[in-house]
Amino acid sequence: MGEVLALVEARLRTALGEPDARAAVTFLGTDRIEVLRFPDAALGLVRYATLGMSAQPMTDPTAALADPVKGPRAELLLSVRAGLADTDKVLRPLAVLAASPQVEGVVVAPGASLDTGEPLWPGAPFTSVLVAEPGGLVEDLELDAPMDPVRFLPLLPMTPNEAAWKRVHGAQALQERWLAAGTDLRDPLRTSVTLG
């Protein structure tokens, strides 16, 4: 387990640079989840990455027995514009989301909605995120067979209206709305996109 996380952290550092902060959260009955903060001054962004979710493969909740080796592995990434909101308070909600496969037996995959039940940070208009396709910012990390690769899944904050609309129309339709409206998904203060 420790070896996988060391490889994951090395991949994150290669892709995002050196983290300037890290926090650890432990939930009862789960492995420790860390959240690393990576500043990107050139783009005016701050990126948050979980570390610990990929230590165990995610297991289908309907499976009779959890396979300790095979199964999808992932970490979560969130990118926001720096200095506009107190986004560092997102550390605990991110750790909660990263622990959900262990706690609730869910498999986190692109297109899924994850709900924190509270604002992602103080005053945030978002209480949930859309899991986007991996491979853009941080490439998948191949592990020794038979282990699945670790995928780095970007999270796109959703307002409650967007989350409700997505449940009816699907992730693809919501992403098309965002694209058509030129929505800045990294803006921590943005309002909901117009949903007809």
Side-chain angles (χ1 to χ4, degrees), residues 78 87 89-91 93 97 116 118-122 124 126-129 157:
L78 176 69
T87 55
K89 297 285 195 310
V90 79
L91 301 180
L97 296 179
T116 59
E118 61 183 18
L120 292 179
W121 52 83
F126 318 107
T127 56
S128 61
V129 293

Side-chain angles (χ1 to χ4, degrees), residues 29-89:
T30 68
D31 296 326
R32 187 168 92 147
I33 303 284
E34 286 191 276
V35 179
L36 282 57
R37 184 178 72 187
F38 297 88
D40 189 334
L43 293 176
L45 299 174
V46 60
R47 303 185 193 281
Y48 301 93
T50 63
L51 180 64
M53 183 177 171
S54 62
Q56 311 281 342
M58 293 182 275
T59 306
D60 184 333
T62 61
L65 203 60
D67 191 313
V69 179
K70 288 185 194 167
R73 293 175 190 257
E75 296 290 353
L76 307 175
L77 296 170
L78 176 69
S79 300
V80 291
R81 298 216 173 280
L84 300 178
D86 188 9
T87 55
D88 281 351
K89 297 285 195 310

Side-chain angles (χ1 to χ4, degrees), residues 113-154:
S113 301
L114 302 176
D115 199 315
T116 59
E118 61 183 18
L120 292 179
W121 52 83
F126 318 107
T127 56
S128 61
V129 293
L130 175 64
V131 182
E133 290 293 333
L137 195 58
V138 184
E139 286 182 30
D140 291 357
L141 172 66
E142 296 294 331
L143 299 174
D144 293 339
M147 290 190 282
D148 288 28
V150 177
R151 303 168 86 199
F152 298 89
L153 302 171

Side-chain angles (χ1 to χ4, degrees), residues 126 128-132 155-159 162-163 165-166 171-185 190-195:
F126 318 107
S128 61
V129 293
L130 175 64
V131 182
L155 302 179
L156 308 175
M158 292 189 292
T159 65
E162 290 169 340
W165 198 85
K166 182 254 173 193
Q172 183 68 38
L174 178 59
Q175 288 178 299
E176 285 168 9
R177 281 290 167 113
W178 282 336
L179 197 59
T183 306
D184 181 359
L185 296 172
R190 76 172 181 85
T191 54
S192 184
V193 71
T194 305
L195 301 166

